[in-house]
Amino acid sequence: MDVIIIGGGIGGLTTALSLHAAGIRATVLERTREIRPLGVGINVQPHAVRELTELGLGDELAALGVPTADMVWVDGSGEAQHREDRGLARGYRWPQYSIHRGELQLMLLDAVRARLGADAVRTGTTFEAVEQTPDGVRVRVTDRTTGEPGLLAADLLVGADGLHSAVRARLHPGEGPLHWSGVMMWRGVTPTEPFLTGRTMIHADAGRGARLIAYPIGPAAAEQGRSLTNWVCMVSMAEPQPLGGDARWNRAGELEDFLPHFADWDLGWLDVPALLSGSTGILEYPMVDRDPLDRWGEGRVTLLGDAAHPMYPVGANGASQAIVDARVLAYRLATTEDPVAALRGYEDERREATTAVVLANRRMDRSKPGNPGDAAGGAPAKGVYTTIAKTYGRATGDDAAELNTRASLNPPVRASAGGARTEGREEATT
């Protein structure tokens, strides 16, 4: 079986590794000419850490990530409103890691090239269209360097090409603009002194529609008694509505656009204005998602990760859901004789789970105090974040015992060989 994967992000690369582990041939097509370590911090939840560990990447993850110990919600003075353990401390057999997104992506890229071959990831290749045949797919692509068209043949196509998925647009034309929560986010990374346990993720809320999330992501800094602190500022600016502009996650932001909302914050153990001012780079991004689909794919084509279920990042769950998608997809393909039936089984299983997360993220964001329309507009009342956290955990299946005892998604291994077949002109790999 040959599978073409559109998109060389975390979801697409994990899919390639998962298929290869199941003895299924995979080729990744990535439109950028060079995959670079872009972005800032993300979190990899225990259910995703388990999957990467079972792919043989546990040591690499441990070297790059900080094992998150706890999550603390605080008010504008730094007083704790709610605290909960995370990862191993919560009873999971696998940690939660706070990690630089770009470093995780490069780790996966290195693993794909080492296991599948140097030509398994074809960069500078743009997906144009897909045509299904009774026994496969033909994928039209363009070489971004030369402008030359190409045609690739495979048994299946997986669209893992992110928020602005071209594969999704082909499958579901006319969806319209992204849904904007009304919240604008600014992200950065700043060297600081360690705070609280040194492995704490904080969610600070002083009311007035401004919130801050911060956590350490650099193990090397921790070994030197410092913290490489990833931060996200969220400012409520409007009611939820269709997004009228761009949503590029790597768009440069300006400090003066959000610092006034946090200029008088004093948590006592973390200098918030200094944290925000000390970042060497700032990224600006609207908090967006899409309504869940009643189906992802069609026939021999499916979606995965943000292409299938874009979600608000408030639950620190997006990358983790993409990783689990990849593993379930590979398992279904390895254990189901009919590949089309395997894709339907994958979608049926993952659509229900990811829809719950998408909707839970929306509810969690809108239930927080200080959003537009919140009459109080001040600091959160005692107990509000305890309620939010417990409600979110129930909705998203935060259950250590269930994960710890669930059967492995390592499937039986099929015989494996090279990558995608090529019809017509061979595509460039640079």
Side-chain angles (χ1 to χ4, degrees), residues 104-347:
L104 174 60
Q105 184 180 11
L106 289 189
M107 181 200 81
L108 295 170
L109 177 64
D110 289 345
V112 169
R113 287 174 168 163
R115 299 178 187 185
L116 280 70
D119 61 348
V121 179
R122 306 185 183 189
T123 57
T125 305
T126 301
F127 167 83
E128 302 292 351
V130 58
E131 174 191 357
Q132 299 199 47
T133 66
D135 60 352
V137 295
R138 293 187 176 91
V139 183
R140 287 198 292 110
V141 297
T142 300
D143 186 312
R144 293 188 64 199
T145 300
T146 66
E148 292 289 330
L151 186 65
L152 299 175
D155 296 292
L156 304 171
L157 177 72
V158 177
D161 48 342
L163 182 68
H164 302 291
S165 169
V167 181
R168 178 172 176 142
R170 287 281 182 176
L171 291 167
H172 303 278
E175 273 198 289
L178 293 160
H179 295 285
W180 180 37
S181 69
V183 173
M184 188 62 72
M185 301 184 296
W186 289 266
R187 301 168 179 256
V189 178
T190 305
T192 70
E193 294 294 325
F195 54 85
L196 299 183
T197 67
R199 295 190 291 120
T200 297
M201 174 187 292
I202 65 161
H203 185 129
D205 189 347
R208 301 171 297 179
R211 306 192 295 270
L212 168 74
I213 294 176
Y215 50 86
I217 61 172
E223 291 172 0
Q224 299 170 5
R226 298 280 291 167
S227 175
L228 185 62
T229 300
N230 181 86
W231 54 263
V232 185
C233 290
M234 298 177 288
V235 179
S236 299
M237 305 181 71
E239 295 290 345
Q241 60 188 276
L243 182 69
D246 194 10
R248 291 186 295 112
W249 61 267
N250 60 345
R251 181 174 62 193
E254 300 294 335
L255 180 66
E256 56 266 27
D257 289 341
F258 63 98
L259 183 59
H261 295 276
F262 302 88
D264 61 346
W265 279 34
D266 181 9
L267 302 184
W269 36 266
L270 181 64
D271 186 337
V272 174
L275 171 72
L276 308 184
S277 303
S279 180
T280 56
I282 296 171
L283 301 176
E284 178 185 80
Y285 188 74
M287 186 185 290
V288 294
D289 69 359
R290 285 194 181 278
D291 288 334
L293 296 166
D294 58 6
R295 64 175 178 86
W296 288 349
E298 180 179 317
R300 293 174 175 268
V301 181
T302 192
L303 301 173
L304 183 144
D306 282 349
H309 44 74
M311 59 185 64
Y312 295 169
V314 293
N317 230 324
S320 297
Q321 294 300 322
I323 290 167
V324 177
D325 285 352
R327 294 280 286 164
V328 172
L329 174 63
Y331 184 85
R332 289 283 186 168
L333 287 172
T335 57
T336 307
E337 189 65 29
D338 178 5
V340 175
L343 295 190
R344 298 293 76 77
Y346 151 73
E347 289 189 12

